Amino acid sequence: MKKALCIIYPNFSIYEVVGLTSTLALSFGIEIDYVGSDRNVIRSEDGLGFAKLANQTLKNYFPKGLRFR
């Protein structure tokens, strides 16, 4: 099964996330992993009280840290 990673953070824009992740999951069967800075509930900026619990933390998902070239 193919997987995609979605990094979420406090006050993230749910409108930027939901369209893409829904299309990937429903149309292509891709499993979405949500990663945050910690395992607490992360609220979006929309004010509707939407909250998402990250599947994993950044530290667990990237134990050696993120490196950009």
Side-chain angles (χ1 to χ4, degrees):
M1 170 178 262
K2 292 183 180 182
K3 294 176 91 173
L5 177 67
C6 182
I7 299 174
I8 53 177
Y9 49 88
N11 298 315
F12 70 99
S13 176
I14 190 64
Y15 304 106
E16 294 175 354
V17 172
V18 88
L20 177 61
T21 56
S22 295
T23 300
L24 290 173
L26 298 174
S27 298
F28 301 102
I30 295 175
E31 182 181 337
I32 310 296
D33 274 345
Y34 294 93
V35 175
S37 56
D38 56 38
R39 295 279 320 243
N40 293 325
V41 171
I42 301 171
R43 295 197 180 278
S44 68
E45 70 177 5
D46 63 5
L48 298 175
F50 176 85
K52 177 65 184 160
L53 184 64
N55 296 35
Q56 297 187 48
T57 65
L58 286 170
K59 190 173 185 176
N60 291 345
Y61 207 87
F62 299 104
K64 294 183 180 181
L66 292 171
R67 291 185 175 79
F68 299 97
R69 294 178 192 215

